[in-house]
Amino acid sequence: MMDEIRLKNIELAELSKALGAKNAGALEKAFGYTTVGEFLWHFPRRYVDVGELTPIAELPFDEHVTVVAQVVNVSQRQMHSRRGFIFEVTVSDELANNGQELRMTFFNGYQARNDLQIGTIAMFSGKVGWYQDHLQLSQPDYAILDTAEQADPRPIPIYPASAKMPNKKIRDLMGLLTELFTEEQLPEFLPEATLAQHHYPRRAKAYLDRHSPREIKQAYIARQRFAFEEAFLLQLSLAERSRKLGNQPAIARRQVKDGLADKFESRLPFELTDDQLEVGAAITADLARAHPMHRLLQGEVGSGKTIVALRAILQVIDAGGQAALLAPTEVLAAQHYSSIKKMLGNLAEPGLFGEGEGTGVALLTGSAKTAQRREALLGIASGETGLIIGTHALLGEHVRFAELGLVVIDEQHRFGVEQRDALRAKGEDAVPHTLVMTATPIPRTVAMTVFGDLDTSTIRKLPAGRAPISTHIVPMQLTGFRDRLFSRIREEVSKGHQVYVVCPRITETAAEQGILVATAEDGANQTMSVEAMFELLSSMPSFTDVRLESLHSQLDSHDKQEIMDEFAAGQIDVLVSTTVIEVGVDVHNATLMVIMDAERFGISQLHQLRGRVGRGGLPGTCLLTTWLDADHQSVNRLRTIESTLDGFELAEADLAERKEGNILGVQQSGSRSTLRELSIIKDRGLIESARDDVQLLMQSGNWAAEHSQLASVVGSWIDQSTSEFLNKN
């Protein structure tokens, strides 16, 4: 059977041809693998080193140990406090002749029950505990040893396994493939100079060292090599995409002297910051080129990104094009429409038929009435409307632009790749320029990995007039702090200011109705809902004359907009809301943000919410409430928010606690990330090194001709979902 796939790249071979139909079927059922290459990337999650072995008689309490022992007794009993069973194994030391025994405990140990029969010899690894006057290992890792392995001192790989595909079976099947780990079967594609520079093993040896190392050090060097391989391929893919995008034709939108952009800038009642001027100059230069701009603009909440984007929009309109601003929610789209119209004044009115001296600005959302929608579509198609602001409604097939020259995407993480691509595709005659904005600062490693094909600009300095925001944790289990929280809200309203109260959910279950009154009395830890908080505030005598309103995603679009308009106009004192107000809502008189059960939100989300206050020159305050004990791990996250206003510092902290799938692949493309060894969090140095190596490779001219094997791998490396992600992001 092996002869059938010899002289071919074994990674492309079907598992059934390498391991037989039965084994291939078992692997596909357990892990979804169908090719040898997929199975080869089923790397061990750790290794047990024979050199780590400890005799049972010398086991240190509360430390991690490894023992080789023979099973001498097994038993099973039901758990009393919950469903399931405990499988207990007694083993005798194989290192000594004194008959020392040790107990192993497995909770719902279905796999252990199948593997560990009396007489079985295995290597066990775990933390030494104490139970009923006996030392024991609870839920230990184990690897069953055959006769040859007992005599072989090399480390034992511990694979991700399942009940029907245990570790021993995986090791046996992988062992059948190791004879094919040759240069011929696993050809190298990384540049020789790159391998030599980093002292990485060649591919065939790296596979062997990963699955059957002679010492653990070899395994971890091989792991570094495969992680670097992924980083290198990803960076090269991004660099190639950037090169191809840069070669696409676009209409140059050069700056027009004394045009709308210049008039807008001259009328600003304040000076732009140095960051805004620097970023604006880079965008002006990008737009003047005959190739499409692809730029990411990141900056703190309230840093002035919208003004920079508006300046670019007017430059495009001056040059005969149109611009589309895509926002993730109707509330934010309406907010942009209102604030941009206000900033532009009569520049937001067409000069030919209207009374202004500018261009038409229109709003298009899913809830727009028929007449309003028809008028907006007509203005877009005729070219009279230079700027169209909207939500997903802009993506509709009936939306036709006269000449789309610029796409601005606000809060890019809220959109799927297909949606972003659909809007860009509306530039029918030429590829429009693209400006992507985010108020969530992106750590350098993530920016390189996810947005490596975009030019990145950052606005760090906040404009003058932005007041500082003080942040405090409120321990709700203490009655005095609970009482002070409500009086603090009342005090802010008495000063003529407005307050946000944000809750993690809209409503509570029937069983939880009325729980908040009990919560205030006994300190029970209950998640606050918008409806419950609204009812609680409404029932308090001190809030009798306070104008309260609630806002959440289940409300009708018209009702949501009406509530936001009333809050912006100062007709609502306290707005109880979900995170629908997280992005873009700009109410200058709002000075207090109360976030209930703050531990239920992520670091970046809390920072975004906090940025809703202190926007009008008045000092802002953010109160983070929690029922958790002060030493709880989640409270440490709140202390991080409390300690700094630096969004970039917080972004790094957020990255440190997030899972990989939330960063690349899952949220962006709708499926798992194709990265299997590379960790964006742990492998920052590898990513930066790979980026430098790729840039050096690209400078050499036609790298694909010089490295044909590498070019072939790059073309097929990225799976379909990630390919779509890279091509459309």
Side-chain angles (χ1 to χ4, degrees), residues 281-314:
I283 293 175
T284 294
D286 283 350
L287 294 175
R289 298 189 181 100
H291 299 289
M293 173 180 73
H294 291 275
R295 185 168 290 276
L296 170 68
L297 174 57
Q298 61 173 338
E300 289 279 14
V301 174
S303 61
K305 297 183 300 298
T306 303
I307 289 176
V308 172
L310 184 53
R311 176 67 176 72
I313 288 168
L314 294 175

PDB file of all heavy atoms in Angstrom, residues 281-314:
ATOM      1  N   ALA A 281      -2.624  63.848   5.127  1.00  0.00           N
ATOM      2  CA  ALA A 281      -1.687  64.023   4.015  1.00  0.00           C
ATOM      3  C   ALA A 281      -1.408  62.689   3.318  1.00  0.00           C
ATOM      4  O   ALA A 281      -1.314  62.627   2.083  1.00  0.00           O
ATOM      5  CB  ALA A 281      -0.386  64.635   4.532  1.00  0.00           C
ATOM      6  N   ALA A 282      -1.295  61.610   4.098  1.00  0.00           N
ATOM      7  CA  ALA A 282      -1.053  60.285   3.509  1.00  0.00           C
ATOM      8  C   ALA A 282      -2.242  59.856   2.658  1.00  0.00           C
ATOM      9  O   ALA A 282      -2.071  59.308   1.556  1.00  0.00           O
ATOM     10  CB  ALA A 282      -0.786  59.266   4.608  1.00  0.00           C
ATOM     11  N   ILE A 283      -3.461  60.116   3.149  1.00  0.00           N
ATOM     12  CA  ILE A 283      -4.661  59.736   2.395  1.00  0.00           C
ATOM     13  C   ILE A 283      -4.784  60.580   1.137  1.00  0.00           C
ATOM     14  O   ILE A 283      -5.148  60.078   0.056  1.00  0.00           O
ATOM     15  CB  ILE A 283      -5.910  59.878   3.287  1.00  0.00           C
ATOM     16  CG1 ILE A 283      -5.862  58.837   4.415  1.00  0.00           C
ATOM     17  CG2 ILE A 283      -7.184  59.719   2.467  1.00  0.00           C
ATOM     18  CD1 ILE A 283      -6.981  58.975   5.429  1.00  0.00           C
ATOM     19  N   THR A 284      -4.483  61.883   1.235  1.00  0.00           N
ATOM     20  CA  THR A 284      -4.529  62.765   0.064  1.00  0.00           C
ATOM     21  C   THR A 284      -3.605  62.242  -1.030  1.00  0.00           C
ATOM     22  O   THR A 284      -3.976  62.208  -2.216  1.00  0.00           O
ATOM     23  CB  THR A 284      -4.116  64.198   0.458  1.00  0.00           C
ATOM     24  OG1 THR A 284      -5.104  64.735   1.336  1.00  0.00           O
ATOM     25  CG2 THR A 284      -3.996  65.094  -0.764  1.00  0.00           C
ATOM     26  N   ALA A 285      -2.410  61.821  -0.628  1.00  0.00           N
ATOM     27  CA  ALA A 285      -1.458  61.277  -1.608  1.00  0.00           C
ATOM     28  C   ALA A 285      -1.955  59.959  -2.191  1.00  0.00           C
ATOM     29  O   ALA A 285      -1.825  59.712  -3.400  1.00  0.00           O
ATOM     30  CB  ALA A 285      -0.094  61.087  -0.947  1.00  0.00           C
ATOM     31  N   ASP A 286      -2.539  59.100  -1.355  1.00  0.00           N
ATOM     32  CA  ASP A 286      -3.083  57.814  -1.841  1.00  0.00           C
ATOM     33  C   ASP A 286      -4.148  58.031  -2.905  1.00  0.00           C
ATOM     34  O   ASP A 286      -4.172  57.360  -3.941  1.00  0.00           O
ATOM     35  CB  ASP A 286      -3.692  57.023  -0.682  1.00  0.00           C
ATOM     36  CG  ASP A 286      -2.646  56.363   0.198  1.00  0.00           C
ATOM     37  OD1 ASP A 286      -1.471  56.354  -0.189  1.00  0.00           O
ATOM     38  OD2 ASP A 286      -3.014  55.869   1.278  1.00  0.00           O
ATOM     39  N   LEU A 287      -5.060  58.948  -2.621  1.00  0.00           N
ATOM     40  CA  LEU A 287      -6.189  59.183  -3.523  1.00  0.00           C
ATOM     41  C   LEU A 287      -5.731  59.756  -4.862  1.00  0.00           C
ATOM     42  O   LEU A 287      -6.426  59.607  -5.879  1.00  0.00           O
ATOM     43  CB  LEU A 287      -7.198  60.133  -2.874  1.00  0.00           C
ATOM     44  CG  LEU A 287      -7.921  59.603  -1.627  1.00  0.00           C
ATOM     45  CD1 LEU A 287      -8.790  60.689  -1.013  1.00  0.00           C
ATOM     46  CD2 LEU A 287      -8.779  58.384  -1.976  1.00  0.00           C
ATOM     47  N   ALA A 288      -4.586  60.404  -4.877  1.00  0.00           N
ATOM     48  CA  ALA A 288      -4.097  61.033  -6.108  1.00  0.00           C
ATOM     49  C   ALA A 288      -3.418  60.042  -7.037  1.00  0.00           C
ATOM     50  O   ALA A 288      -3.051  60.395  -8.162  1.00  0.00           O
ATOM     51  CB  ALA A 288      -3.123  62.165  -5.759  1.00  0.00           C
ATOM     52  N   ARG A 289      -3.270  58.790  -6.594  1.00  0.00           N
ATOM     53  CA  ARG A 289      -2.616  57.785  -7.430  1.00  0.00           C
ATOM     54  C   ARG A 289      -3.639  57.053  -8.297  1.00  0.00           C
ATOM     55  O   ARG A 289      -4.816  56.963  -7.951  1.00  0.00           O
ATOM     56  CB  ARG A 289      -1.857  56.784  -6.555  1.00  0.00           C
ATOM     57  CG  ARG A 289      -0.734  57.426  -5.746  1.00  0.00           C
ATOM     58  CD  ARG A 289       0.132  56.361  -5.067  1.00  0.00           C
ATOM     59  NE  ARG A 289       1.194  56.981  -4.284  1.00  0.00           N
ATOM     60  CZ  ARG A 289       1.153  57.155  -2.974  1.00  0.00           C
ATOM     61  NH1 ARG A 289       0.090  56.728  -2.287  1.00  0.00           N
ATOM     62  NH2 ARG A 289       2.145  57.730  -2.337  1.00  0.00           N
ATOM     63  N   ALA A 290      -3.160  56.480  -9.377  1.00  0.00           N
ATOM     64  CA  ALA A 290      -4.042  55.768 -10.313  1.00  0.00           C
ATOM     65  C   ALA A 290      -4.191  54.303  -9.936  1.00  0.00           C
ATOM     66  O   ALA A 290      -4.504  53.462 -10.783  1.00  0.00           O
ATOM     67  CB  ALA A 290      -3.495  55.891 -11.731  1.00  0.00           C
ATOM     68  N   HIS A 291      -3.947  54.001  -8.671  1.00  0.00           N
ATOM     69  CA  HIS A 291      -4.161  52.659  -8.140  1.00  0.00           C
ATOM     70  C   HIS A 291      -4.965  52.795  -6.857  1.00  0.00           C
ATOM     71  O   HIS A 291      -4.842  53.797  -6.144  1.00  0.00           O
ATOM     72  CB  HIS A 291      -2.832  51.953  -7.886  1.00  0.00           C
ATOM     73  CG  HIS A 291      -1.997  51.783  -9.113  1.00  0.00           C
ATOM     74  ND1 HIS A 291      -2.320  50.902 -10.120  1.00  0.00           N
ATOM     75  CD2 HIS A 291      -0.860  52.414  -9.520  1.00  0.00           C
ATOM     76  CE1 HIS A 291      -1.420  50.973 -11.083  1.00  0.00           C
ATOM     77  NE2 HIS A 291      -0.528  51.892 -10.746  1.00  0.00           N
ATOM     78  N   PRO A 292      -5.807  51.820  -6.532  1.00  0.00           N
ATOM     79  CA  PRO A 292      -6.721  51.996  -5.399  1.00  0.00           C
ATOM     80  C   PRO A 292      -6.014  52.069  -4.054  1.00  0.00           C
ATOM     81  O   PRO A 292      -5.101  51.298  -3.775  1.00  0.00           O
ATOM     82  CB  PRO A 292      -7.632  50.763  -5.473  1.00  0.00           C
ATOM     83  CG  PRO A 292      -6.837  49.748  -6.234  1.00  0.00           C
ATOM     84  CD  PRO A 292      -6.007  50.520  -7.204  1.00  0.00           C
ATOM     85  N   MET A 293      -6.442  53.011  -3.242  1.00  0.00           N
ATOM     86  CA  MET A 293      -5.987  53.090  -1.857  1.00  0.00           C
ATOM     87  C   MET A 293      -6.635  51.963  -1.063  1.00  0.00           C
ATOM     88  O   MET A 293      -7.818  51.678  -1.213  1.00  0.00           O
ATOM     89  CB  MET A 293      -6.387  54.437  -1.250  1.00  0.00           C
ATOM     90  CG  MET A 293      -6.114  54.546   0.246  1.00  0.00           C
ATOM     91  SD  MET A 293      -6.597  56.148   0.954  1.00  0.00           S
ATOM     92  CE  MET A 293      -8.389  55.992   0.951  1.00  0.00           C
ATOM     93  N   HIS A 294      -5.857  51.345  -0.205  1.00  0.00           N
ATOM     94  CA  HIS A 294      -6.375  50.355   0.747  1.00  0.00           C
ATOM     95  C   HIS A 294      -5.732  50.688   2.082  1.00  0.00           C
ATOM     96  O   HIS A 294      -4.636  50.223   2.386  1.00  0.00           O
ATOM     97  CB  HIS A 294      -6.032  48.926   0.313  1.00  0.00           C
ATOM     98  CG  HIS A 294      -6.751  48.484  -0.907  1.00  0.00           C
ATOM     99  ND1 HIS A 294      -8.015  47.952  -0.872  1.00  0.00           N
ATOM    100  CD2 HIS A 294      -6.402  48.540  -2.215  1.00  0.00           C
ATOM    101  CE1 HIS A 294      -8.411  47.673  -2.104  1.00  0.00           C
ATOM    102  NE2 HIS A 294      -7.454  48.018  -2.935  1.00  0.00           N
ATOM    103  N   ARG A 295      -6.401  51.483   2.870  1.00  0.00           N
ATOM    104  CA  ARG A 295      -5.795  51.998   4.098  1.00  0.00           C
ATOM    105  C   ARG A 295      -6.695  51.729   5.296  1.00  0.00           C
ATOM    106  O   ARG A 295      -7.918  51.869   5.227  1.00  0.00           O
ATOM    107  CB  ARG A 295      -5.531  53.504   3.973  1.00  0.00           C
ATOM    108  CG  ARG A 295      -4.789  54.094   5.182  1.00  0.00           C
ATOM    109  CD  ARG A 295      -4.304  55.504   4.895  1.00  0.00           C
ATOM    110  NE  ARG A 295      -3.213  55.530   3.925  1.00  0.00           N
ATOM    111  CZ  ARG A 295      -1.934  55.350   4.219  1.00  0.00           C
ATOM    112  NH1 ARG A 295      -1.568  55.120   5.489  1.00  0.00           N
ATOM    113  NH2 ARG A 295      -1.014  55.394   3.289  1.00  0.00           N
ATOM    114  N   LEU A 296      -6.053  51.313   6.386  1.00  0.00           N
ATOM    115  CA  LEU A 296      -6.727  51.133   7.665  1.00  0.00           C
ATOM    116  C   LEU A 296      -6.425  52.350   8.532  1.00  0.00           C
ATOM    117  O   LEU A 296      -5.265  52.689   8.748  1.00  0.00           O
ATOM    118  CB  LEU A 296      -6.232  49.861   8.359  1.00  0.00           C
ATOM    119  CG  LEU A 296      -6.662  49.653   9.817  1.00  0.00           C
ATOM    120  CD1 LEU A 296      -8.155  49.391   9.900  1.00  0.00           C
ATOM    121  CD2 LEU A 296      -5.882  48.498  10.450  1.00  0.00           C
ATOM    122  N   LEU A 297      -7.469  53.008   9.017  1.00  0.00           N
ATOM    123  CA  LEU A 297      -7.326  54.166   9.897  1.00  0.00           C
ATOM    124  C   LEU A 297      -7.841  53.786  11.276  1.00  0.00           C
ATOM    125  O   LEU A 297      -9.028  53.525  11.463  1.00  0.00           O
ATOM    126  CB  LEU A 297      -8.119  55.360   9.345  1.00  0.00           C
ATOM    127  CG  LEU A 297      -8.178  56.609  10.234  1.00  0.00           C
ATOM    128  CD1 LEU A 297      -6.787  57.107  10.571  1.00  0.00           C
ATOM    129  CD2 LEU A 297      -9.006  57.693   9.561  1.00  0.00           C
ATOM    130  N   GLN A 298      -6.936  53.719  12.234  1.00  0.00           N
ATOM    131  CA  GLN A 298      -7.343  53.369  13.589  1.00  0.00           C
ATOM    132  C   GLN A 298      -7.050  54.529  14.517  1.00  0.00           C
ATOM    133  O   GLN A 298      -6.111  55.292  14.323  1.00  0.00           O
ATOM    134  CB  GLN A 298      -6.652  52.104  14.068  1.00  0.00           C
ATOM    135  CG  GLN A 298      -5.136  52.179  14.134  1.00  0.00           C
ATOM    136  CD  GLN A 298      -4.534  50.941  14.780  1.00  0.00           C
ATOM    137  OE1 GLN A 298      -5.199  50.232  15.523  1.00  0.00           O
ATOM    138  NE2 GLN A 298      -3.272  50.666  14.497  1.00  0.00           N
ATOM    139  N   GLY A 299      -7.889  54.665  15.509  1.00  0.00           N
ATOM    140  CA  GLY A 299      -7.710  55.745  16.472  1.00  0.00           C
ATOM    141  C   GLY A 299      -8.671  55.592  17.624  1.00  0.00           C
ATOM    142  O   GLY A 299      -9.714  54.928  17.509  1.00  0.00           O
ATOM    143  N   GLU A 300      -8.339  56.217  18.721  1.00  0.00           N
ATOM    144  CA  GLU A 300      -9.162  56.156  19.915  1.00  0.00           C
ATOM    145  C   GLU A 300     -10.567  56.687  19.647  1.00  0.00           C
ATOM    146  O   GLU A 300     -10.796  57.461  18.706  1.00  0.00           O
ATOM    147  CB  GLU A 300      -8.529  56.991  21.031  1.00  0.00           C
ATOM    148  CG  GLU A 300      -7.271  56.389  21.601  1.00  0.00           C
ATOM    149  CD  GLU A 300      -7.571  55.313  22.616  1.00  0.00           C
ATOM    150  OE1 GLU A 300      -8.720  54.848  22.684  1.00  0.00           O
ATOM    151  OE2 GLU A 300      -6.660  54.924  23.348  1.00  0.00           O
ATOM    152  N   VAL A 301     -11.487  56.304  20.505  1.00  0.00           N
ATOM    153  CA  VAL A 301     -12.822  56.890  20.481  1.00  0.00           C
ATOM    154  C   VAL A 301     -12.668  58.402  20.630  1.00  0.00           C
ATOM    155  O   VAL A 301     -12.003  58.880  21.551  1.00  0.00           O
ATOM    156  CB  VAL A 301     -13.680  56.326  21.636  1.00  0.00           C
ATOM    157  CG1 VAL A 301     -15.008  57.045  21.708  1.00  0.00           C
ATOM    158  CG2 VAL A 301     -13.879  54.842  21.466  1.00  0.00           C
ATOM    159  N   GLY A 302     -13.249  59.149  19.692  1.00  0.00           N
ATOM    160  CA  GLY A 302     -13.197  60.602  19.781  1.00  0.00           C
ATOM    161  C   GLY A 302     -11.895  61.215  19.321  1.00  0.00           C
ATOM    162  O   GLY A 302     -11.639  62.395  19.579  1.00  0.00           O
ATOM    163  N   SER A 303     -11.062  60.450  18.599  1.00  0.00           N
ATOM    164  CA  SER A 303      -9.772  60.983  18.169  1.00  0.00           C
ATOM    165  C   SER A 303      -9.871  61.822  16.901  1.00  0.00           C
ATOM    166  O   SER A 303      -8.888  62.441  16.495  1.00  0.00           O
ATOM    167  CB  SER A 303      -8.777  59.839  17.951  1.00  0.00           C
ATOM    168  OG  SER A 303      -9.241  58.961  16.938  1.00  0.00           O
ATOM    169  N   GLY A 304     -11.030  61.830  16.270  1.00  0.00           N
ATOM    170  CA  GLY A 304     -11.211  62.655  15.087  1.00  0.00           C
ATOM    171  C   GLY A 304     -11.037  61.925  13.773  1.00  0.00           C
ATOM    172  O   GLY A 304     -10.682  62.529  12.755  1.00  0.00           O
ATOM    173  N   LYS A 305     -11.307  60.628  13.761  1.00  0.00           N
ATOM    174  CA  LYS A 305     -11.203  59.857  12.515  1.00  0.00           C
ATOM    175  C   LYS A 305     -12.230  60.331  11.486  1.00  0.00           C
ATOM    176  O   LYS A 305     -11.949  60.377  10.290  1.00  0.00           O
ATOM    177  CB  LYS A 305     -11.422  58.362  12.798  1.00  0.00           C
ATOM    178  CG  LYS A 305     -10.399  57.729  13.706  1.00  0.00           C
ATOM    179  CD  LYS A 305     -10.629  56.243  13.872  1.00  0.00           C
ATOM    180  CE  LYS A 305     -11.987  55.928  14.458  1.00  0.00           C
ATOM    181  NZ  LYS A 305     -12.157  56.477  15.816  1.00  0.00           N
ATOM    182  N   THR A 306     -13.441  60.668  11.955  1.00  0.00           N
ATOM    183  CA  THR A 306     -14.512  61.041  11.028  1.00  0.00           C
ATOM    184  C   THR A 306     -14.153  62.297  10.241  1.00  0.00           C
ATOM    185  O   THR A 306     -14.443  62.390   9.038  1.00  0.00           O
ATOM    186  CB  THR A 306     -15.828  61.255  11.792  1.00  0.00           C
ATOM    187  OG1 THR A 306     -16.156  60.067  12.511  1.00  0.00           O
ATOM    188  CG2 THR A 306     -16.955  61.573  10.830  1.00  0.00           C
ATOM    189  N   ILE A 307     -13.503  63.254  10.891  1.00  0.00           N
ATOM    190  CA  ILE A 307     -13.110  64.476  10.191  1.00  0.00           C
ATOM    191  C   ILE A 307     -12.083  64.166   9.110  1.00  0.00           C
ATOM    192  O   ILE A 307     -12.153  64.683   7.990  1.00  0.00           O
ATOM    193  CB  ILE A 307     -12.562  65.513  11.193  1.00  0.00           C
ATOM    194  CG1 ILE A 307     -13.706  66.047  12.048  1.00  0.00           C
ATOM    195  CG2 ILE A 307     -11.834  66.637  10.483  1.00  0.00           C
ATOM    196  CD1 ILE A 307     -13.283  67.006  13.126  1.00  0.00           C
ATOM    197  N   VAL A 308     -11.131  63.293   9.422  1.00  0.00           N
ATOM    198  CA  VAL A 308     -10.131  62.889   8.437  1.00  0.00           C
ATOM    199  C   VAL A 308     -10.807  62.186   7.264  1.00  0.00           C
ATOM    200  O   VAL A 308     -10.492  62.447   6.092  1.00  0.00           O
ATOM    201  CB  VAL A 308      -9.072  61.979   9.082  1.00  0.00           C
ATOM    202  CG1 VAL A 308      -8.132  61.403   8.028  1.00  0.00           C
ATOM    203  CG2 VAL A 308      -8.282  62.742  10.128  1.00  0.00           C
ATOM    204  N   ALA A 309     -11.744  61.291   7.577  1.00  0.00           N
ATOM    205  CA  ALA A 309     -12.455  60.570   6.519  1.00  0.00           C
ATOM    206  C   ALA A 309     -13.293  61.523   5.674  1.00  0.00           C
ATOM    207  O   ALA A 309     -13.363  61.392   4.444  1.00  0.00           O
ATOM    208  CB  ALA A 309     -13.340  59.488   7.135  1.00  0.00           C
ATOM    209  N   LEU A 310     -13.933  62.493   6.322  1.00  0.00           N
ATOM    210  CA  LEU A 310     -14.775  63.452   5.599  1.00  0.00           C
ATOM    211  C   LEU A 310     -13.928  64.310   4.663  1.00  0.00           C
ATOM    212  O   LEU A 310     -14.346  64.636   3.542  1.00  0.00           O
ATOM    213  CB  LEU A 310     -15.538  64.324   6.591  1.00  0.00           C
ATOM    214  CG  LEU A 310     -16.540  65.320   6.008  1.00  0.00           C
ATOM    215  CD1 LEU A 310     -17.515  64.627   5.069  1.00  0.00           C
ATOM    216  CD2 LEU A 310     -17.300  66.024   7.136  1.00  0.00           C
ATOM    217  N   ARG A 311     -12.743  64.657   5.116  1.00  0.00           N
ATOM    218  CA  ARG A 311     -11.824  65.423   4.250  1.00  0.00           C
ATOM    219  C   ARG A 311     -11.488  64.610   3.001  1.00  0.00           C
ATOM    220  O   ARG A 311     -11.438  65.155   1.884  1.00  0.00           O
ATOM    221  CB  ARG A 311     -10.557  65.741   5.046  1.00  0.00           C
ATOM    222  CG  ARG A 311      -9.454  66.450   4.266  1.00  0.00           C
ATOM    223  CD  ARG A 311      -9.865  67.843   3.860  1.00  0.00           C
ATOM    224  NE  ARG A 311      -8.784  68.566   3.194  1.00  0.00           N
ATOM    225  CZ  ARG A 311      -8.335  68.315   1.962  1.00  0.00           C
ATOM    226  NH1 ARG A 311      -8.860  67.337   1.248  1.00  0.00           N
ATOM    227  NH2 ARG A 311      -7.356  69.049   1.449  1.00  0.00           N
ATOM    228  N   ALA A 312     -11.274  63.301   3.151  1.00  0.00           N
ATOM    229  CA  ALA A 312     -10.989  62.431   2.004  1.00  0.00           C
ATOM    230  C   ALA A 312     -12.211  62.307   1.096  1.00  0.00           C
ATOM    231  O   ALA A 312     -12.089  62.312  -0.136  1.00  0.00           O
ATOM    232  CB  ALA A 312     -10.561  61.054   2.500  1.00  0.00           C
ATOM    233  N   ILE A 313     -13.378  62.178   1.710  1.00  0.00           N
ATOM    234  CA  ILE A 313     -14.625  62.082   0.934  1.00  0.00           C
ATOM    235  C   ILE A 313     -14.794  63.304   0.046  1.00  0.00           C
ATOM    236  O   ILE A 313     -15.130  63.203  -1.150  1.00  0.00           O
ATOM    237  CB  ILE A 313     -15.820  61.926   1.892  1.00  0.00           C
ATOM    238  CG1 ILE A 313     -15.820  60.519   2.514  1.00  0.00           C
ATOM    239  CG2 ILE A 313     -17.137  62.206   1.187  1.00  0.00           C
ATOM    240  CD1 ILE A 313     -16.778  60.359   3.682  1.00  0.00           C
ATOM    241  N   LEU A 314     -14.555  64.500   0.596  1.00  0.00           N
ATOM    242  CA  LEU A 314     -14.735  65.733  -0.176  1.00  0.00           C
ATOM    243  C   LEU A 314     -13.693  65.850  -1.280  1.00  0.00           C
ATOM    244  O   LEU A 314     -13.980  66.383  -2.362  1.00  0.00           O
ATOM    245  CB  LEU A 314     -14.658  66.937   0.763  1.00  0.00           C
ATOM    246  CG  LEU A 314     -15.798  67.029   1.784  1.00  0.00           C
ATOM    247  CD1 LEU A 314     -15.562  68.191   2.740  1.00  0.00           C
ATOM    248  CD2 LEU A 314     -17.149  67.173   1.091  1.00  0.00           C
TER     249      LEU A 314
END
